[in-house]
Amino acid sequence: MITYETILESKNYIDSFGGFKPQIGIILGSGLSSFADSLNDKLVIPYKDIPNFPISTVKGHKGNLVLGTLEGKNIICMQGRFHFYEGYSMQEVTFPIRVMQLLGIKILIITNAAGGVNKSFSTGDIMIITDHISRMPNPLIGPNDERLGTRFPSTSEVYDKELINIVKAVAKKENIDIKQGVYVGNTGPSFETNAEYIMFRNLGISAVGMSTVPEVIVAAHGGMKVLGLSVISNVFDENAIEEPSHQEVLDNVERANSNLLRLIEGVLQQI
Ligand code: HPA
């Protein structure tokens, strides 16, 4: 069972490597794990070595915490995340966010691969998540530990406006055509039906994925500010239906990696 004490045990293990004090957490989604290579003075801690940590099972997701610096900031990166569809409980999916919380993280940058339903999107675009709609069980269901957060946390401002303005300014400077929109989190693992993609678009949603929402809710509970970035790995078009595949998602995300790196580096410079 996950308790405050099991979270603390994981945190203490990470502290035992010289007491590195991370300021910013970054979750690297499908196909995006190479970002961690750009950190300086890296320390790689495999998830399997960390007491109480779940272990990642999906292709394209490594299972490491990578600690290091970038643009003068102390960073902790998750190379690979845990998904509800893998069979983990919502508490397991969000366990690393709790560990980051106890490590003192106040800003979390979350990336993912997502399907685009906005007609103006193209494969390889990067979308700022301005808000989300959840179609997953809430990770805060169950007893509330007040040491971790309040019973009924607000999530209305969790996608921080200031961080959104910063990333927009960086995109402009770097000449990256950045999109923005609402992300819907589904459980997966099946991709959506055509009717579902159309429904989401009609609801004003721009991107569809299978992650992020639980981590953002727990980050809000833990008092963090979040910047969410989706890499659009496939775009739904009812006039040219193409079946999405996991390999396609990975290949298309790979191509957006360098833009994502430039964006995140630019944001780190300014916070
Ligand atoms: N749907 C859900 N999740 C996804 C998709 C999609 O089309 N593409 C990448 N992750």
Side-chain angles (χ1 to χ4, degrees):
M1 213 190 51
I2 291 170
T3 61
Y4 190 87
E5 286 66 35
T6 59
I7 302 166
L8 195 58
E9 198 182 351
S10 306
K11 182 251 183 200
N12 288 341
Y13 177 78
I14 295 160
D15 270 347
S16 73
F17 292 87
F20 178 81
K21 292 277 171 263
Q23 303 159 290
I24 294 159
I26 304 180
I27 305 180
L28 301 171
S30 299
L32 298 167
S33 63
S34 62
F35 174 87
D37 299 340
S38 57
L39 296 189
N40 304 308
D41 304 318
K42 277 190 288 294
L43 171 69
V44 180
I45 309 177
Y47 293 159
K48 63 178 172 38
D49 292 352
I50 308 173
N52 314 317
F53 233 72
I55 290 160
S56 154
T57 66
V58 189
K59 196 176 158 202
H61 284 255
K62 289 189 184 164
N64 298 312
L65 279 186
V66 184
L67 283 58
T69 61
L70 195 60
E71 301 297 341
K73 305 288 184 322
N74 287 355
I75 313 285
I76 185 163
C77 271
M78 283 180 69
Q79 263 187 334
R81 56 149 59 86
F82 306 106
H83 303 85
F84 190 58
Y85 64 73
E86 293 176 82
Y88 296 112
S89 70
M90 275 300 185
Q91 284 70 31
E92 288 171 318
V93 167
T94 56
F95 185 81
I97 313 302
R98 291 304 189 196
V99 175
M100 287 189 193
Q101 182 183 349
L102 294 197
L103 283 166
I105 297 284
K106 295 280 186 262
I107 295 177
L108 185 62
I109 300 177
I110 303 194
T111 67
N112 61 43
V117 291
N118 185 316
K119 285 194 171 168
S120 72
F121 285 9
S122 312
T123 304
D125 277 349
I126 297 179
M127 183 193 89
I128 304 167
I129 305 176
T130 53
D131 210 339
H132 76 223
I133 289 176
S134 176
R135 302 206 333 125
M136 293 172 152
N138 194 300
L140 303 179
I141 289 172
N144 186 60
D145 188 328
E146 290 286 328
R147 289 171 291 184
L148 294 173
T150 181
R151 174 73 286 187
F152 300 108
S154 167
T155 53
S156 72
E157 298 285 332
V158 63
Y159 296 98
D160 187 69
K161 299 248 172 10
E162 226 173 292
L163 292 172
I164 290 176
N165 287 336
I166 291 173
V167 76
K168 278 187 191 168
V170 172
K172 198 166 173 199
K173 184 162 157 259
E174 293 285 335
N175 234 341
I176 296 170
D177 172 28
I178 201 154
K179 311 289 195 209
Q180 61 175 34
V182 173
Y183 172 95
V184 61
N186 294 316
T187 64
S190 48
F191 288 109
E192 290 66 26
T193 64
N194 299 337
E196 285 167 339
Y197 282 125
I198 292 168
M199 173 186 75
F200 290 133
R201 182 202 293 148
N202 289 342
L203 287 172
I205 288 163
S206 289
V208 185
M210 306 176 191
S211 68
T212 302
V213 164
E215 294 137 329
V216 169
I217 292 173
V218 167
H221 188 243
M224 298 178 195
K225 292 177 180 177
V226 171
L227 173 65
L229 298 172
S230 290
V231 176
I232 304 301
S233 57
N234 51 291
V235 176
F236 175 75
D237 177 357
E238 61 269 56
N239 300 315
I241 302 242
E242 278 181 39
E243 293 199 357
S245 74
H246 187 56
Q247 195 53 50
E248 177 203 4
V249 167
L250 294 181
D251 292 346
N252 290 335
V253 167
E254 190 74 44
R255 291 193 284 115
N257 249 320
S258 72
N259 281 349
L260 193 78
L261 177 70
R262 278 154 64 210
L263 285 175
I264 297 179
E265 275 182 353
V267 170
L268 293 177
Q269 263 173 22
Q270 296 191 38
I271 53 180

